[in-house]
Amino acid sequence: MTLKLDLATYLDDRRVAIDHALREALPNPETPPALLHQAMEYSLLAGGKRIRPILALASCEAVDGDPDRILPLALSLEFIHTYSLIHDDLPAMDDDDFRRGQPTNHRVYGEDVAILAGDALHALAFARLADPVVCPELDSASRLAAVYELATAAGSLGLVGGQVMDLRTTPPSSIDDDRPREGGRSIEIVEGIHARKTGALIRAAVRIGAILGDATPTQYDALSRYGDAVGLAFQIVDDVLDVDGNPNEMGKATGKDHDRLKWTYPDIVGVPRSRAIADACVQNALDAVSPFASRAEALRGIARYIVDRKI
Ligand code: GRG
C-alpha cells in the first residue's frame, strides 16, 4: 500500500468518525427552536474535509496522546469553522449562494436564522470544551488552556480580525462605498490576512491536540511552528484553487477573489510562485515535526495533502 493510499484511508476514517460524533453532539433537530437546530445541522453536516479536528487528533498522536479520547473535544474546532463559513457567506460579507455544493445557510433559512445558527455554533464550541460530562477524565487546566487557544484564534487577533482585513483591505467595489478601510496591497498584508483568517484556527487545532495530549512546552512550540506553516500553505492553496481549481469538484464557483478585487498570493506573485511558497511552507512544517519521528507520520501526510488537494 502506498503512503498516499494510507493517508487517504486515514483521512477518510477520521472524517467518518468526526461526522458521526458531530451528529451526536448537536441538539436533536426537533428540539425547540427546531428551525434553529435544523439550520445548525444543515451546515454542520453538509460535508467538508474536517481538516481542523483531524489536525488536532494527529497532533495529539504526535505527543503520544490518545486521539480517540479527545475526539469529542476536537469537534469544537468544526463548530467554530462552520459558524465562520455561515457568516462569511452572508450578503453583508462575501454574499455566496453555494457552499460545499449546496445552497448557503441564509439562502435556505434566511439571513436572520443563518446569523443566529452561526452564533449558536460559536457558543456550542466553548460549551463543548467546558462540559464536564464530555471527556470527564480530562483535567480542568487542560480544558481551560484549550478554551483560551480557541477563543484567541476566533477573536479579533484571529478569525474575526482576518475577516475584517479581508473585507476592508481591498478597494471598494463601488464609488458609493466610503466605509473606513484597512492597510494596503503588499505580500505582507496578504500574509497577515491569511495568518488570521485561516492560519489562526489551524494553529489552534494543532495546539489544542497537543494540549489535550499532554504535550511538553518544547513539543507545543514545535507543533505551533508546524501549525503556522501548514496554515499559510492551506490558504495559499485556497487562493490558487480559486484561480485554477475545478468548480464542479469544489462545489462552489471559482474566480471569486478576482471578481471581488481581493488581494491574494496569485494576484501578487502569480500561480507558480504561490505554489513554490506553499511548498516551502510544507518543508518548514516537515522540519518542525522531525523530532517526533514516526509519531508525526499523519501530520507529515496532512501537510503534503494540503498542497496537493484539489478541493
Ligand atoms: C465570518 C468570523 C468570520 C470569518 C470568516 C472562514 C472565513 C473567515 C472565510 C471563508 C472564506 C475563506 C477562503 C476562508 C479561509 C479559510 C478557508 C480556506 C475555509 C475553507 O475551509 P475548508 O477548505 O472547508 O477546510 P471545508 O468545506 O472542507 O470545511
Side-chain angles (χ1 to χ4, degrees):
M1 215 186 281
T2 65
L3 176 65
K4 205 172 164 89
L5 191 64
D6 281 338
L7 182 74
T9 307
Y10 177 93
L11 293 177
D12 225 40
D13 288 350
R14 290 285 192 232
R15 195 181 42 72
V16 169
I18 289 163
D19 281 348
H20 178 76
L22 285 171
R23 184 163 293 132
E24 302 277 300
L26 274 180
N28 185 306
E30 299 313 320
T31 302
L35 182 60
L36 177 65
H37 291 131
Q38 283 158 20
M40 291 161 73
E41 185 183 272
Y42 175 78
S43 290
L44 193 71
L45 302 184
K49 297 181 286 295
R50 314 303 191 197
I51 201 70
R52 293 155 190 82
I54 291 176
L55 275 167
L57 302 183
S59 176
C60 179
E61 237 169 63
V63 298
D64 247 349
D66 177 358
D68 293 328
R69 194 173 82 131
I70 69 146
L71 186 144
L73 295 175
L75 303 183
S76 56
L77 291 152
E78 200 63 23
F79 294 147
I80 292 288
H81 173 57
T82 305
Y83 125 76
S84 78
L85 296 180
I86 295 174
H87 281 198
D88 183 65
D89 290 335
L90 289 167
M93 300 212 201
D94 272 2
D95 194 10
D96 274 310
D97 292 334
F98 287 93
R99 163 81 58 189
R100 297 165 172 167
Q102 297 188 33
T104 45
N105 199 292
H106 66 274
R107 298 288 297 176
V108 178
Y109 293 96
E111 268 184 74
D112 46 0
V113 172
I115 292 169
L116 295 164
D119 291 344
L121 286 167
H122 184 274
L124 189 59
F126 295 102
R128 186 89 193 155
L129 282 178
D131 188 346
V133 173
V134 179
C135 306
E137 69 289 358
L138 213 89
D139 64 289
S140 37
S142 301
R143 283 171 188 282
L144 195 60
V147 166
Y148 174 75
E149 292 291 351
L150 194 61
T152 307
S156 66
L157 301 177
L159 209 53
V160 172
Q163 181 74 345
V164 168
M165 290 173 74
D166 189 59
L167 292 168
R168 295 295 184 85
T169 305
T170 45
S173 49
S174 111
I175 52 166
D176 300 328
D177 183 354
D178 58 359
R179 294 173 300 175
R181 310 200 82 78
E182 282 272 329
R185 181 188 194 269
S186 71
I187 199 72
E188 289 77 21
I189 295 275
V190 176
E191 191 177 325
I193 297 173
H194 288 4
R196 293 169 179 83
K197 188 180 79 169
T198 311
L201 194 57
I202 289 184
R203 182 176 63 184
V206 175
R207 284 181 163 183
I208 287 171
I211 290 166
L212 299 179
D214 222 2
T216 65
T218 309
Q219 289 175 325
Y220 172 89
D221 288 346
L223 289 166
S224 298
R225 285 201 300 284
Y226 169 92
D228 281 337
V230 292
L232 181 56
F234 191 91
Q235 185 56 52
I236 295 174
V237 171
D238 205 68
D239 288 354
V240 170
L241 289 174
D242 191 63
V243 176
D244 67 11
N246 178 334
N248 293 329
E249 279 175 352
M250 294 171 67
K252 58 180 187 180
T254 53
K256 291 181 305 177
D257 292 338
H258 180 77
D259 296 348
R260 290 172 183 145
L261 309 171
K262 291 224 166 149
W263 290 331
T264 64
Y265 266 73
D267 179 41
I268 295 181
V269 299
V271 168
R273 177 95 189 102
S274 299
R275 286 243 175 240
I277 297 173
D279 287 341
C281 290
V282 169
Q283 192 51 54
N284 289 341
L286 298 179
D287 292 346
V289 294
S290 63
F292 296 90
S294 64
R295 293 200 313 268
E297 215 35 59
L299 287 176
R300 287 188 195 93
I302 294 169
R304 294 191 193 99
Y305 158 80
I306 278 173
V307 286
D308 291 341
R309 73 199 165 97
K310 304 279 179 259
I311 59 171

